[in-house]
Amino acid sequence: MKNIILASASPRRKELLEIFGLCFSTISVDIDESLLPEESPRDAVRRLARLKADAAMPGLSGDSIVIAADTIVVLDGQIMGKPFNEDDARHKLSRLSGRQHEVITAVCVRIGEEVCEVEDETTRVFFRPLSVQEIAAYVASGESADKAGAYGIQGRGGLLVDKIEGCYFNVVGLPLSRLYLILKKYGIDLLGV
C-alpha cells in the first residue's frame, strides 16, 4: 500500500477516512484561505483544496498520495465562513433558519508530481425554522465555533436540519463516494473489487 497522507487537521475528515480502514497519516497545513476578487464559491473551494494538497507535498516520497479537502457553505451565492465569535455564529444561524443553502466540498488527490485531480460535490441543506432560544442553545454548546456556516450536521447541528439533497458525508467535509472513485482510477480500490 502506498503512503497515504490526509492534509487536514479536521477530526471529522480523519474519522471519515478511517471508515475505509486505510493506514494513513495526517499533516496539518497552513494556507492563506482568503478569497480572490470575483472568485465563484466553486472555484474558491477547488483552489483551496489544491493549495492544501500542494502545501503537504514538500518532503514526501514520489509515490505518496495526498488527500486534501475544503468545505464551504453558500447562502444566496455568498460564502459563509467559520464564525468569528458567538454573535457572528448566532447571526449566521439566523440567516440559515428556515432556508436552503449549499455545502460544497472539493477534494484534491495528489500522487507525486504527475497526478493532481480536483473534484467537487454539492449538497443542498434545508434548515427548519429555528427559534432564538434554539440558536442560542446551539451556539452555547460550542459546536458552532470552528465550522463553516456555524454548524456541524454530524453533531447537535443535525437537529437544525430538516432534510438534505445529496451526499451527507459531503456536508461533514469529505465526499466519500467521490473520493473512492478518484482513488480507484489510480489503482487504490477501497472495496477490493
Side-chain angles (χ1 to χ4, degrees):
M1 183 60 85
K2 296 185 181 211
N3 184 31
I4 299 175
I5 294 101
L6 175 63
S8 176
S10 165
R12 294 163 296 279
R13 288 194 181 107
K14 184 175 184 274
E15 289 169 7
L16 290 177
L17 201 52
E18 286 171 344
I19 289 172
F20 291 133
L22 285 176
C23 182
F24 67 95
S25 57
T26 59
I27 295 176
S28 180
V29 294
D30 187 28
I31 63 162
D32 179 0
E33 296 193 34
S34 303
L35 301 177
L36 301 176
E38 306 302 318
E39 186 175 39
S40 73
R42 183 172 180 256
D43 289 343
V45 76
R46 291 173 65 89
R47 178 179 58 82
L48 293 173
R50 181 172 182 151
L51 284 175
K52 289 177 182 181
D54 290 348
M57 290 301 294
L60 296 178
S61 63
D63 65 343
S64 294
I65 298 170
V66 174
I67 300 167
D70 193 71
T71 301
I72 58 171
V73 172
V74 181
L75 178 68
D76 298 330
Q78 300 297 313
I79 296 173
M80 296 183 77
K82 296 175 183 177
F84 303 114
N85 54 37
E86 288 189 355
D87 285 340
D88 189 39
R90 283 189 290 274
H91 174 72
K92 283 177 171 29
L93 293 168
S94 295
R95 289 187 61 211
L96 294 173
S97 175
R99 302 191 60 203
Q100 168 208 320
H101 62 275
E102 293 181 333
V103 176
I104 306 171
T105 298
V107 62
C108 178
V109 173
R110 289 217 49 170
I111 305 173
E113 294 299 320
E114 304 81 45
V115 175
C116 182
E117 185 157 343
V118 182
E119 293 193 18
D120 61 88
E121 183 83 27
T122 300
T123 303
R124 292 181 7 186
V125 180
F126 298 80
F127 265 33
R128 62 179 180 75
L130 307 174
S131 70
V132 172
Q133 294 83 4
E134 288 173 315
I135 291 171
Y138 181 67
V139 172
S141 77
E143 192 176 273
S144 64
D146 67 339
K147 296 171 181 70
Y151 77 97
I153 196 169
Q154 72 283 358
R156 291 180 182 166
L159 302 173
L160 314 177
V161 176
D162 181 42
K163 66 178 180 175
I164 69 168
E165 291 178 359
C167 175
Y168 166 80
F169 298 108
N170 184 56
V171 183
V172 178
L174 195 61
L176 295 183
S177 181
R178 188 165 298 271
L179 175 61
Y180 164 72
L181 293 172
I182 295 171
L183 292 174
K184 186 175 180 181
K185 192 185 314 184
Y186 297 103
I188 300 162
D189 189 345
L190 302 174
L191 286 175
V193 257

